[in-house]
Amino acid sequence: MAMSGMGGGKGRGRYRAMAEINVTPLVDVMLVLLIIFMVAAPLMTVGVPVDLPKTNASALNQETEPLTISVNAEGRIFIQESEVPMEGLVDRLRAILAEQPAGAPERRIFVRGDRGINYGRVMEVMGTVSAAGFTKVALLAEQPSGTPAAGGARPATPAPAQPQRR
């Protein structure tokens, strides 16, 4: 039995390495990683855990990402995910307002308050936000069905209630 590439049958020829790369295992691994990251990415956007009250208000369309201020069940205040003391809230908000480019529309602020905290604490935070110079302040609430509606900020952000303009 003659084999091709062996030098015509006059002895043993040299072994020739295959010059092709098998990419099938690479594609398999990449598809598995893609699926894992697609499942894990929405779970990584979790912020401060707040139990929001429910409302029937519809979601608002947003052109820019709003700034979220959260008040958790212990009454601690967070801007996005970083904790801020009440005394430093005005300074931090004024710094954010100063960073805004000239001529840009005012940044919207969503206030998320845990349903178990005192209503006065949420109103104190809203008053502080207003004192910092922001006028577009809205309260966030959860949809009654239990599934949060997209408010434009992030897919996991509940829909805002009727905006409270100050």
Side-chain angles (χ1 to χ4, degrees):
M1 223 177 180
M3 297 182 76
S4 64
M6 293 301 249
K10 294 184 179 180
R12 297 186 69 180
R14 289 188 179 191
Y15 171 75
R16 294 181 54 191
M18 188 169 77
E20 299 173 4
I21 298 174
N22 188 2
V23 295
T24 305
L26 175 68
V27 171
D28 291 344
V29 169
M30 294 306 288
L31 285 174
V32 168
L33 288 175
L34 176 68
I35 291 170
I36 289 172
F37 285 125
M38 286 174 55
V39 170
L43 302 176
M44 295 169 63
T45 61
V46 176
V48 178
V50 174
D51 186 19
L52 294 174
K54 301 197 182 325
T55 183
N56 291 327
S58 61
L60 298 175
N61 291 332
Q62 299 293 319
E63 59 277 351
T64 60
E65 182 177 349
L67 187 64
T68 304
I69 298 177
S70 302
V71 183
N72 69 0
E74 290 86 32
R76 297 187 324 204
I77 302 167
F78 296 84
I79 295 180
Q80 301 298 70
E81 283 90 27
S82 61
E83 186 173 359
V84 177
M86 184 61 134
E87 301 80 32
L89 184 60
V90 173
D91 294 332
R92 180 79 66 92
L93 289 173
R94 285 190 178 151
I96 291 171
L97 190 60
E99 291 175 8
Q100 207 168 323
E106 183 181 345
R107 198 160 179 192
R108 175 170 226 114
I109 294 190
F110 288 160
V111 178
R112 300 171 61 219
D114 193 278
R115 82 171 70 190
I117 65 167
N118 187 356
Y119 178 72
R121 181 69 171 168
V122 176
M123 291 309 296
E124 183 182 1
V125 170
M126 287 186 69
T128 305
V129 168
S130 178
F134 287 92
T135 58
K136 294 184 176 180
V137 182
L139 290 172
L140 287 185
E142 193 173 351
Q143 294 290 334
S145 64
T147 57
R154 282 184 237 134
T157 302
Q162 296 296 339
Q164 300 290 327
R165 304 245 183 214
R166 299 190 127 223

